[in-house]
Amino acid sequence: MIKRTLPVVSLVLLATGCGEAPAACERQCGEIRALFTAPCGSQHSGTPAECAAWVAGVGAMTRRLDESLRGKVVQQDVGEVLPRLMSATGDFEANRCGEVRVGNLASTDARQARCNEALIAARGDLGSLYFSAEVPG
């Protein structure tokens, strides 16, 4: 990944007075980096249970980030991706996708398709956040 002078998440958090400057920024960037590089993140692997736990983690991180940035001026890309990411994780949770198992007769094909779409959207939106926020590697 191309590193720029300063990570935007850090700049956003510093410029808006959100959290304890360097420590809060590093914690948030570290969480985004860990989720992005997890098996269900950018690597597109993992069991359904692992991915359900991953989506729950992404959802929790996204809600915390959204709360901390609420009412603050943020970079346009970050401001656009957060609602999409919250929507994708919300769709995954609303469809109880953690319960969907391959070969599970109780899971309908339509439900499994919605869960796959929500997982793909969460991966894509987290990737957008990771790159638009310029999270350091």
Side-chain angles (χ1 to χ4, degrees):
M1 178 178 122
I2 299 172
K3 290 186 181 181
R4 299 196 178 115
T5 55
L6 291 171
V8 175
V9 167
S10 298
L11 286 176
V12 167
L13 294 175
L14 286 171
T16 61
C18 177
E20 316 83 48
C25 295
E26 182 53 37
R27 191 171 43 250
Q28 190 67 60
C29 287
E31 190 173 9
I32 293 169
R33 183 183 325 102
L35 289 166
F36 179 73
T37 58
C40 291
S42 62
Q43 298 173 28
H44 300 273
S45 63
T47 67
E50 288 170 337
C51 290
W54 177 83
V55 170
V58 171
M61 178 277 302
T62 304
R63 286 187 291 277
R64 283 191 304 275
L65 182 58
D66 182 60
E67 286 175 21
S68 70
L69 298 178
R70 198 165 285 151
K72 312 268 193 293
V73 177
V74 297
Q75 179 185 348
Q76 182 177 352
D77 291 351
V78 173
E80 291 173 357
V81 79
L82 280 176
R84 289 195 323 257
L85 188 52
M86 287 192 305
S87 177
T89 58
D91 289 348
F92 191 91
E93 292 165 353
N95 283 298
R96 298 186 330 264
C97 295
E99 300 169 12
V100 174
R101 300 285 185 262
V102 175
N104 181 352
L105 298 178
S107 300
T108 65
D109 288 341
R111 181 176 170 205
Q112 202 158 19
R114 287 191 305 271
C115 291
N116 288 339
E117 288 171 8
L119 180 60
I120 290 166
R123 284 177 176 151
D125 292 335
L126 182 65
S128 293
L129 178 63
Y130 180 85
F131 289 110
S132 67
E134 301 171 19
V135 173

